[in-house]
Amino acid sequence: MENDHPIALLGGLTPAQFMRRHWQKKPLLVRAAVPGFAPPLSRTELFALAADDAVESRLLVRDGARWRLRHGPMPRRALPPLSRPGWTLLLQGVDLHVQAARALLDSFRFVPEARLDDLMISYASDGGGVGPHVDSYDVFLLQASGRRRWQIARQRDTSLVPGLPLKILRNFEPEQEWVLEPGDMLYLPPGWGHDGVALGGDCVTCSIGMRAPGREELARSVLQRTLDETEAPESDALYRDPLQPATDAPGRIPPALLAFANDAVARLVGDASSLACALGEVLSEPKPRVSFDPNETAAMGGGIVLDRRSRMLYDDARIYLNGESYLASGRDAKLMRSLADRRALGATETKRLSPEAHRLIEEWARAGWLHGAADEGG
Ligand code: SIN
Ligand code: CO
């Protein structure tokens, strides 16, 4: 990716400038970020996805100060009439189901893949929205069709209206507002209050959402992985205490035993290589609902493309794909990294992989994790 070239998507900033000036720092409004933007799916396709139980969907209906929230799957008849104002349908993880949505997410890969979460699509009738709120993650709000008025504020007071099925700010005082037309985009860092209200019906907004692991949550999952993968040693080093004197306080835990425990834990977490490996596996783990379409007869010839659901990452030592890790070095490592960066490899590059790497590619193709370049696997 050309990070030093101005792009329309970022309003003429280069990705490098955007990351320096705005990312995690301040909002950016971009008019015509995607000129002539066509929604990645039609209204009919959107409603069909809402009815699919593999898709995470929510319906929010506003009735004055009352809000009703319903979780999908949502058959078409569960949706209010299009002419009824004040409702919105939210579809999470559309990139996992629709190739065009994945492609849209890919245009934001100047942000590391490990930080990209998903593409959410909302459909709103006139006046629909999710109310004023703050998010914990950065988001790019790209207007796909219809018009939406966004109001934003640097939010210090994060108290919420009590008793609602969703988080709505009690005291939201907009500082800036814009009406976004199709193709316009608003970037918001975490912690900014925002409220998007559909002006007129058929309002579709794509949210390119980020993810950021919590410190403790990440420590837990990395340690859990490390433990799962550490085999119980055949001969464990046992605590020894040849210098233990006779005690008149037999209930007290010997301080040397505490030191032994500290040392044992430090050894476990001090192994940088297994921690790195566990991190890569954790970060590349597909989301809970994701399932791939295995293809037993996958015949690999020319180039390859990753399946839209695949998460592929790497570090200096390993390649990670969908929660699995592989040691890689030399030319194979270079090519596999290129596959992770571009989500595809040309026919010539694929040919240069070693026979072992070819076997892996075939295994991954059978698992549905990647496909031959000509057949993107629907
Ligand atoms: C929406 O698309 O209605 C809400 C998106 C957001 O506020 O993050
Ligand atoms: Co939001």
Side-chain angles (χ1 to χ4, degrees), residues 1-3 7 9-10 15-16 18-19 23 101-117 140 208 210 306-308 310-314 320 336-344:
M1 192 171 289
E2 301 279 0
N3 288 327
I7 53 177
L9 184 67
L10 296 171
F18 169 81
M19 294 304 280
W23 177 249
R102 173 73 230 190
L104 179 57
L105 192 60
D106 285 347
S107 33
F108 293 83
R109 287 177 95 242
F110 51 85
V111 175
E113 173 97 18
R115 292 281 270 120
L116 285 181
D117 189 16
F140 295 89
I208 295 88
M210 301 299 138
L306 288 183
D307 183 82
R308 62 177 176 267
S310 279
R311 291 191 82 101
M312 189 172 192
L313 304 169
Y314 60 88
Y320 306 96
M336 290 291 192
R337 287 175 192 170
S338 185
L339 174 60
D341 285 335
R342 293 169 13 223
R343 299 187 63 83

Side-chain angles (χ1 to χ4, degrees), residues 211 218 221-222 225 277-286 313 320 323:
R211 60 176 188 163
L218 188 63
S221 34
V222 167
R225 265 284 163 162
C277 178
L279 175 67
E281 293 182 1
V282 164
L283 292 176
S284 65
E285 190 68 59
L313 304 169
Y320 306 96

Side-chain angles (χ1 to χ4, degrees), residues 173-257:
E173 287 168 23
E175 293 164 358
Q176 281 176 288
E177 73 167 61
W178 306 274
V179 172
L180 270 66
E181 307 270 344
D184 293 348
M185 185 174 79
L186 174 62
Y187 161 75
L188 291 177
W192 280 71
H194 53 290
D195 185 16
V197 175
L199 301 182
D202 260 329
C203 171
V204 178
T205 305
C206 297
S207 300
I208 295 88
M210 301 299 138
R211 60 176 188 163
R215 184 162 44 197
E216 224 181 281
E217 171 210 332
L218 188 63
R220 272 170 207 277
S221 34
V222 167
L223 285 179
Q224 193 56 58
R225 265 284 163 162
T226 312
L227 291 178
D228 291 348
E229 271 158 34
T230 330
E231 285 167 32
E234 279 181 12
S235 61
D236 203 356
L238 298 183
Y239 174 65
R240 295 181 69 250
D241 52 356
L243 299 179
Q244 172 67 51
T247 181
D248 53 9
R252 175 180 292 284
I253 296 170
L257 186 47

